[in-house]
């Protein structure tokens, strides 16, 4: 979730990005438990945004472009169900928009393989520990930030995703 948080923090209209866990089987999981794949939770970000400034459809486009949605249970070197590509929705209207965004992303031709992003109702959500919040900005010289997050942000900026 560190990459996702770093991407969405700079999007105009996004008011808050909170790292958390959802979709698992235990109450209040820890990062250690989730990152070891012991809980079935996914590492996610809750994104609160101003609907007058940005639409859910635009946020979902950024989501798809900010990671590889075609790899099952994997993001880069991180492997396991906790790293699955997933969109958790709150209500039926969000589900419909998310399903359409997946169809549109598949049709875009941007990826060679089919998108495997899971779309499911938000369940068993828990905020992650406080030290995950604003991780990239608080740890810019940490190797993961330098070698994974920064290049991703640079790539997205070149694609014109940030104004």
């Amino acid at each position: 979730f560190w990459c996702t948080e770093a991407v969405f923090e700079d999007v105009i209209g996004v008011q808050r990005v909170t790292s958390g866990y959802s979709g698992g089987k235990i109450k209040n999981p820890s990062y250690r438990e989730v990152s070891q794949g012991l809980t079935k939770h996914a590492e996610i970000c809750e994104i609160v945004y101003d609907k007058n400034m940005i639409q859910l459809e635009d946020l979902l486009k950024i989501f798809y472009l900010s990671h590889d949605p075609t790899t099952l249970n994997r993001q880069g070197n991180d492997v396991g169900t906790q790293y699955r590509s997933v969109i958790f929705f709150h209500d039926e209207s969000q589900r419909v928009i998310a399903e359409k965004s997946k169809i549109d992303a598949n049709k875009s031709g941007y990826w060679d393989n089919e998108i495997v992003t899971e779309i499911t109702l938000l369940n068993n959500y828990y905020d992650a520990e406080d030290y995950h919040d604003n991780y990239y900005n608080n740890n810019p010289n940490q190797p993961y930030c330098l070698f994974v997050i920064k290049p991703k942000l640079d790539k997205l900026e070149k694609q014109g995703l940030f104004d």
Side-chain angles (χ1 to χ4, degrees):
F1 41 52
W2 296 334
C3 285
T4 302
E5 177 194 56
V7 167
F8 282 98
E9 281 183 332
D10 287 337
V11 173
I12 294 171
V14 170
Q15 298 170 326
R16 186 178 76 241
V17 182
T18 305
S19 296
Y21 316 112
S22 188
K25 303 295 182 197
I26 69 168
K27 292 183 179 180
N28 202 26
S30 69
Y31 177 68
R32 183 190 59 76
E33 292 169 319
V34 173
S35 66
Q36 291 177 359
L38 303 175
T39 70
K40 303 298 183 204
H41 284 83
E43 292 184 6
I44 68 166
C45 287
E46 176 188 38
I47 299 171
V48 177
Y49 63 98
D50 182 340
K51 295 175 185 173
N52 295 316
M53 297 182 75
I54 191 164
Q55 298 300 305
L56 179 56
E57 293 87 346
D58 297 318
L59 293 171
L60 291 168
K61 286 178 191 174
I62 295 168
F63 167 75
Y64 282 115
L65 292 171
S66 69
H67 75 296
D68 183 354
T70 68
T71 54
L72 186 62
N73 299 329
R74 179 186 194 115
Q75 291 305 314
N77 292 326
D78 296 325
V79 178
T81 58
Q82 67 272 30
Y83 304 113
R84 65 191 180 270
S85 177
V86 60
I87 298 168
F88 287 100
F89 60 87
H90 291 271
D91 57 39
E92 182 63 13
S93 66
Q94 287 184 344
R95 184 196 66 76
V96 169
I97 291 168
E99 294 286 357
K100 183 177 182 319
S101 75
K102 183 176 177 179
I103 291 166
D104 292 345
N106 265 316
K107 288 180 181 177
S108 73
Y110 189 82
W111 298 274
D112 292 332
N113 298 314
E114 189 80 11
I115 290 174
V116 297
T117 300
E118 174 186 330
I119 299 173
T120 191
L121 182 65
L122 182 72
N123 61 48
N124 295 332
Y125 172 82
Y126 300 94
D127 286 344
E129 297 82 350
D130 289 344
Y131 70 89
H132 296 291
D133 291 333
N134 209 21
Y135 190 84
Y136 175 73
N137 291 328
N138 290 336
N139 301 281
N141 296 317
Q142 196 263 6
Y144 187 84
C145 294
L146 285 172
F147 300 112
V148 177
I149 299 175
K150 175 121 178 55
K152 183 176 289 200
L153 293 175
D154 291 345
K155 176 183 173 187
L156 291 170
E157 188 170 355
K158 284 180 185 175
Q159 292 178 340
L161 291 181
F162 305 119
D163 292 330

